[in-house]
Protein backbone atom coordinates (compact mmCIF):
# COMPACT_ATOMS: atom_id res chain seq x y z
CA UNK A 1 0.00 0.00 0.00
CA UNK A 2 1.17 3.52 -0.67
CA UNK A 3 1.93 6.13 1.97
CA UNK A 4 -1.27 8.01 1.04
CA UNK A 5 -3.52 5.17 2.20
CA UNK A 6 -2.82 6.11 5.80
CA UNK A 7 -3.85 9.74 5.30
CA UNK A 8 -7.37 11.11 5.56
CA UNK A 9 -7.85 12.65 2.13
CA UNK A 10 -10.94 13.76 0.21
CA UNK A 11 -10.14 13.83 -3.54
CA UNK A 12 -12.45 16.00 -5.64
CA UNK A 13 -11.91 15.72 -9.39
CA UNK A 14 -13.92 16.86 -12.38
CA UNK A 15 -14.00 18.94 -15.55
CA UNK A 16 -13.19 22.64 -15.83
CA UNK A 17 -15.49 25.07 -14.00
CA UNK A 18 -17.47 22.34 -12.25
CA UNK A 19 -17.08 24.29 -8.99
CA UNK A 20 -14.41 22.01 -7.52
CA UNK A 21 -12.25 24.61 -5.78
CA UNK A 22 -14.99 26.62 -4.09
CA UNK A 23 -16.76 23.39 -3.09
CA UNK A 24 -13.55 21.81 -1.80
CA UNK A 25 -12.73 24.96 0.21
CA UNK A 26 -16.12 24.94 1.91
CA UNK A 27 -15.99 21.18 2.58
CA UNK A 28 -12.53 21.61 4.14
CA UNK A 29 -13.76 24.48 6.34
CA UNK A 30 -16.69 22.41 7.59
CA UNK A 31 -14.53 19.37 8.30
CA UNK A 32 -11.66 21.35 9.83
CA UNK A 33 -9.23 20.05 7.21
CA UNK A 34 -6.71 21.74 4.91
CA UNK A 35 -7.83 22.62 1.35
CA UNK A 36 -5.30 22.24 -1.47
CA UNK A 37 -6.18 23.58 -4.96
CA UNK A 38 -3.89 21.56 -7.22
CA UNK A 39 -4.85 23.60 -10.30
CA UNK A 40 -3.24 26.67 -8.70
CA UNK A 41 0.17 24.98 -9.01
CA UNK A 42 -0.34 24.12 -12.70
CA UNK A 43 -1.44 27.71 -13.22
CA UNK A 44 1.68 28.98 -11.40
CA UNK A 45 3.92 26.84 -13.64
CA UNK A 46 2.10 28.18 -16.71
CA UNK A 47 2.28 31.80 -15.53
CA UNK A 48 6.03 31.44 -15.00
CA UNK A 49 6.43 29.86 -18.46
CA UNK A 50 4.44 32.69 -20.09
CA UNK A 51 6.36 35.41 -18.19
CA UNK A 52 9.76 33.94 -18.97
CA UNK A 53 8.92 32.79 -22.51
CA UNK A 54 9.65 29.11 -21.72
CA UNK A 55 8.22 26.12 -23.56
CA UNK A 56 10.63 23.26 -22.71
CA UNK A 57 9.54 21.11 -19.73
CA UNK A 58 13.07 21.01 -18.23
CA UNK A 59 13.35 24.80 -18.42
CA UNK A 60 9.94 25.26 -16.77
CA UNK A 61 10.86 22.88 -13.93
CA UNK A 62 14.21 24.65 -13.45
CA UNK A 63 12.36 27.99 -13.29
CA UNK A 64 9.94 26.54 -10.71
CA UNK A 65 12.88 25.33 -8.60
CA UNK A 66 14.58 28.72 -8.78
CA UNK A 67 11.49 30.87 -8.28
CA UNK A 68 11.28 30.45 -4.50
CA UNK A 69 7.73 29.08 -4.45
CA UNK A 70 6.11 28.67 -1.05
CA UNK A 71 2.67 27.44 0.00
CA UNK A 72 1.51 29.66 2.84
CA UNK A 73 -1.50 28.81 5.08
CA UNK A 74 -4.33 31.23 4.38
CA UNK A 75 -7.68 30.47 6.03
CA UNK A 76 -8.46 26.79 5.34
CA UNK A 77 -6.23 26.81 2.27
CA UNK A 78 -2.73 27.39 0.99
CA UNK A 79 -1.73 30.49 -0.94
CA UNK A 80 0.95 30.06 -3.60
CA UNK A 81 3.66 32.71 -3.24
CA UNK A 82 6.60 33.42 -5.47
CA UNK A 83 9.48 35.19 -3.75
CA UNK A 84 7.06 35.97 -0.91
CA UNK A 85 4.46 37.60 -3.20
CA UNK A 86 1.08 36.01 -3.94
CA UNK A 87 0.53 34.74 -7.50
CA UNK A 88 -3.20 35.56 -7.26
CA UNK A 89 -5.02 36.81 -9.27
CA UNK A 90 -2.40 36.74 -12.09
CA UNK A 91 -2.62 32.93 -12.45
CA UNK A 92 -6.35 33.23 -13.32
CA UNK A 93 -5.71 35.45 -16.37
CA UNK A 94 -7.13 34.32 -19.73
CA UNK A 95 -3.56 34.14 -21.14
CA UNK A 96 -2.63 31.58 -18.45
CA UNK A 97 -5.93 29.66 -18.78
CA UNK A 98 -5.40 29.34 -22.55
CA UNK A 99 -2.02 27.60 -22.08
CA UNK A 100 -2.43 25.69 -18.83
CA UNK A 101 -3.53 22.39 -20.41
CA UNK A 102 -0.39 22.35 -22.58
CA UNK A 103 1.91 22.88 -19.57
CA UNK A 104 -0.08 20.44 -17.39
CA UNK A 105 0.45 17.72 -20.03
CA UNK A 106 4.25 17.76 -19.39
CA UNK A 107 5.27 14.75 -17.23
CA UNK A 108 8.18 16.67 -15.64
CA UNK A 109 5.86 19.49 -14.56
CA UNK A 110 3.34 16.97 -13.21
CA UNK A 111 6.09 15.24 -11.18
CA UNK A 112 7.09 18.63 -9.70
CA UNK A 113 3.48 19.50 -8.80
CA UNK A 114 2.74 16.03 -7.38
CA UNK A 115 5.71 16.39 -5.02
CA UNK A 116 4.35 19.69 -3.68
CA UNK A 117 0.85 18.21 -3.28
CA UNK A 118 1.97 15.10 -1.41
CA UNK A 119 4.32 17.11 0.84
CA UNK A 120 1.53 19.58 1.73
CA UNK A 121 -0.88 16.77 2.67
CA UNK A 122 1.80 14.90 4.63
CA UNK A 123 2.66 18.06 6.61
CA UNK A 124 -1.00 18.70 7.44
CA UNK A 125 -1.81 15.04 8.10
CA UNK A 126 -4.58 15.02 5.48
CA UNK A 127 -6.89 17.37 3.65
CA UNK A 128 -9.32 18.05 0.83
CA UNK A 129 -7.69 18.34 -2.60
CA UNK A 130 -9.32 19.24 -5.90
CA UNK A 131 -8.01 18.68 -9.41
CA UNK A 132 -8.19 16.27 -12.35
CA UNK A 133 -6.12 13.27 -11.25
CA UNK A 134 -6.24 13.38 -7.45
CA UNK A 135 -8.31 10.20 -7.00
CA UNK A 136 -6.62 8.35 -9.87
CA UNK A 137 -2.93 9.28 -9.54
CA UNK A 138 -1.97 11.62 -6.67
CA UNK A 139 -3.95 9.87 -3.91
CA UNK A 140 -5.35 6.64 -5.40
CA UNK A 141 -6.07 5.46 -1.85
CA UNK A 142 -7.92 8.61 -0.76
CA UNK A 143 -10.58 7.72 1.76
CA UNK A 144 -13.27 9.54 -0.22
CA UNK A 145 -13.25 10.29 -3.96
CA UNK A 146 -15.81 12.58 -5.55
CA UNK A 147 -16.22 13.29 -9.26
CA UNK A 148 -17.96 16.64 -9.53
CA UNK A 149 -19.66 17.43 -12.79
CA UNK A 150 -22.36 19.57 -14.44
CA UNK A 151 -23.58 20.15 -17.98
CA UNK A 152 -21.28 22.32 -20.16
CA UNK A 153 -23.96 25.02 -20.31
CA UNK A 154 -24.33 25.16 -16.51
CA UNK A 155 -20.55 25.30 -16.08
CA UNK A 156 -20.17 28.07 -18.66
CA UNK A 157 -22.92 30.13 -17.03
CA UNK A 158 -21.35 29.80 -13.58
CA UNK A 159 -17.90 30.71 -14.88
CA UNK A 160 -19.23 33.85 -16.61
CA UNK A 161 -21.28 34.87 -13.57
CA UNK A 162 -18.08 34.72 -11.47
CA UNK A 163 -16.48 37.33 -13.71
CA UNK A 164 -19.71 39.37 -14.16
CA UNK A 165 -20.09 38.49 -17.84
CA UNK A 166 -23.17 36.24 -17.50
CA UNK A 167 -26.41 36.41 -19.44
CA UNK A 168 -25.63 36.65 -23.14
CA UNK A 169 -26.39 33.26 -24.81
CA UNK A 170 -23.66 33.75 -27.44
CA UNK A 171 -21.07 34.36 -24.70
CA UNK A 172 -22.30 31.29 -22.79
CA UNK A 173 -21.97 29.17 -25.94
CA UNK A 174 -18.44 30.48 -26.60
CA UNK A 175 -17.39 29.84 -22.99
CA UNK A 176 -18.89 26.30 -23.10
CA UNK A 177 -16.79 25.72 -26.23
CA UNK A 178 -13.59 26.90 -24.46
CA UNK A 179 -14.33 24.67 -21.44
CA UNK A 180 -14.99 21.68 -23.74
CA UNK A 181 -11.67 22.26 -25.50
CA UNK A 182 -9.78 22.39 -22.17
CA UNK A 183 -11.56 19.19 -21.03
CA UNK A 184 -10.70 17.51 -24.33
CA UNK A 185 -7.00 18.35 -23.85
CA UNK A 186 -7.02 17.41 -20.14
CA UNK A 187 -8.82 14.10 -20.80
CA UNK A 188 -6.75 13.24 -23.88
CA UNK A 189 -3.21 13.62 -22.53
CA UNK A 190 -1.02 10.56 -22.05
CA UNK A 191 -0.07 11.21 -18.41
CA UNK A 192 -2.65 11.45 -15.61
CA UNK A 193 -5.63 12.41 -17.80
CA UNK A 194 -8.86 13.85 -16.42
CA UNK A 195 -10.77 10.67 -15.60
CA UNK A 196 -13.32 9.51 -13.09
CA UNK A 197 -11.82 6.97 -10.65
CA UNK A 198 -13.81 3.71 -10.71
CA UNK A 199 -14.49 4.05 -6.97
CA UNK A 200 -15.46 7.76 -7.09
CA UNK A 201 -18.91 8.98 -6.10
CA UNK A 202 -20.37 11.10 -8.88
CA UNK A 203 -22.07 14.36 -7.96
CA UNK A 204 -23.86 16.13 -10.83
CA UNK A 205 -24.36 19.67 -9.60
CA UNK A 206 -26.40 20.95 -12.58
CA UNK A 207 -29.58 21.23 -10.53
CA UNK A 208 -27.99 21.68 -7.10
CA UNK A 209 -27.33 24.82 -5.07
CA UNK A 210 -23.83 25.40 -3.69
CA UNK A 211 -24.85 24.64 -0.07
CA UNK A 212 -26.49 21.37 -1.15
CA UNK A 213 -23.44 20.08 -2.98
CA UNK A 214 -21.16 20.97 -0.06
CA UNK A 215 -23.54 19.29 2.42
CA UNK A 216 -23.62 16.10 0.33
CA UNK A 217 -19.81 15.79 0.26
CA UNK A 218 -19.51 16.63 3.97
CA UNK A 219 -22.06 13.89 4.73
CA UNK A 220 -20.10 11.36 2.62
CA UNK A 221 -16.87 12.45 4.33
CA UNK A 222 -18.37 11.99 7.80
CA UNK A 223 -19.65 8.55 6.79
CA UNK A 224 -16.08 7.74 5.77
CA UNK A 225 -14.85 8.89 9.20
CA UNK A 226 -13.22 12.06 7.90
CA UNK A 227 -13.25 15.15 10.07
CA UNK A 228 -10.78 16.94 12.31
CA UNK A 229 -13.00 16.57 15.40
O1 LIG B 1 -8.83 23.59 -11.79
P1 LIG B 1 -8.22 24.64 -12.73
O2 LIG B 1 -9.12 25.02 -13.87
O3 LIG B 1 -7.65 25.80 -11.99
O4 LIG B 1 -6.97 23.86 -13.39
C1 LIG B 1 -6.18 24.46 -14.38
C2 LIG B 1 -5.60 23.40 -15.29
O5 LIG B 1 -4.62 22.64 -14.60
C3 LIG B 1 -6.57 22.41 -15.90
O6 LIG B 1 -7.02 22.81 -17.19
C4 LIG B 1 -5.80 21.14 -15.99
C5 LIG B 1 -4.67 21.28 -15.02
N1 LIG B 1 -4.79 20.43 -13.86
C6 LIG B 1 -4.34 19.14 -14.00
O7 LIG B 1 -3.91 18.75 -15.08
N2 LIG B 1 -4.34 18.31 -12.93
C7 LIG B 1 -4.81 18.71 -11.74
N3 LIG B 1 -4.80 17.87 -10.70
C8 LIG B 1 -5.32 20.03 -11.59
C9 LIG B 1 -5.31 20.87 -12.68
Amino acid sequence: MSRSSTLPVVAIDGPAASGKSSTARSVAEQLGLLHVDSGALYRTATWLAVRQGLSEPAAIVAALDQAGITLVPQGAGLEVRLGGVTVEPAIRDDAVTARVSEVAAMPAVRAWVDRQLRDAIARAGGGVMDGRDIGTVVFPDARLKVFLTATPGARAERRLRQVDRGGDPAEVAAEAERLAERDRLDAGRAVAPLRQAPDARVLDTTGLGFAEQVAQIVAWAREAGLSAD
Side-chain angles (χ1 to χ4, degrees):
M1 272 206 277
S2 72
R3 177 178 65 145
S4 59
S5 64
T6 59
L7 296 172
V9 171
V10 180
I12 303 181
D13 291 304
S18 55
K20 297 181 301 292
S21 287
S22 46
T23 303
R25 172 64 63 107
S26 189
V27 167
E29 281 167 356
Q30 292 195 26
L31 294 172
L33 296 174
L34 175 74
H35 169 226
V36 184
D37 166 9
S38 65
L41 287 164
Y42 288 105
R43 287 176 176 277
T44 300
T46 308
W47 181 58
L48 212 56
V50 170
R51 266 202 340 180
Q52 300 187 10
L54 307 171
S55 52
E56 290 303 313
I60 297 172
V61 171
L64 285 165
D65 282 335
Q66 283 160 19
I69 288 174
T70 47
L71 303 180
V72 180
Q74 195 71 241
L78 292 175
E79 184 175 85
V80 183
R81 294 197 187 156
L82 201 146
V85 179
T86 180
V87 298
E88 300 282 358
I91 60 166
R92 314 277 161 192
D93 277 0
D94 288 348
V96 172
T97 302
R99 285 205 46 207
V100 67
S101 292
E102 173 195 331
V103 173
M106 298 172 178
V109 171
R110 299 201 73 81
W112 186 92
V113 169
D114 286 356
R115 240 181 355 259
Q116 314 299 318
L117 299 176
R118 292 190 179 117
D119 284 354
I121 289 291
R123 276 195 301 272
V128 181
M129 186 176 291
D130 69 277
R132 303 294 188 289
D133 64 336
I134 308 308
T136 51
V137 173
V138 184
F139 289 109
D141 300 313
R143 208 172 298 165
L144 172 66
K145 300 180 189 179
V146 178
F147 195 78
L148 206 65
T149 186
T151 61
R155 292 190 278 128
E157 268 176 32
R158 283 182 202 158
R159 170 58 53 97
L160 289 176
R161 236 183 284 131
Q162 268 175 6
V163 292
D164 279 335
R165 294 193 336 235
D168 176 20
E171 274 229 50
V172 173
E175 182 64 20
E177 192 47 51
R178 281 190 291 272
L179 293 175
E181 172 63 5
R182 193 140 64 91
D183 292 343
R184 196 183 60 72
L185 292 172
D186 292 339
R189 68 178 172 233
V191 180
L194 162 66
R195 195 158 47 79
Q196 184 189 319
D199 51 348
R201 291 180 180 236
V202 180
L203 189 58
D204 185 334
T205 66
T206 307
L208 290 183
F210 183 72
E212 285 174 295
Q213 69 205 40
V214 170
Q216 177 61 81
I217 298 174
V218 167
W220 284 337
R222 292 218 158 101
E223 267 169 44
L226 277 159
S227 105
D229 29 80

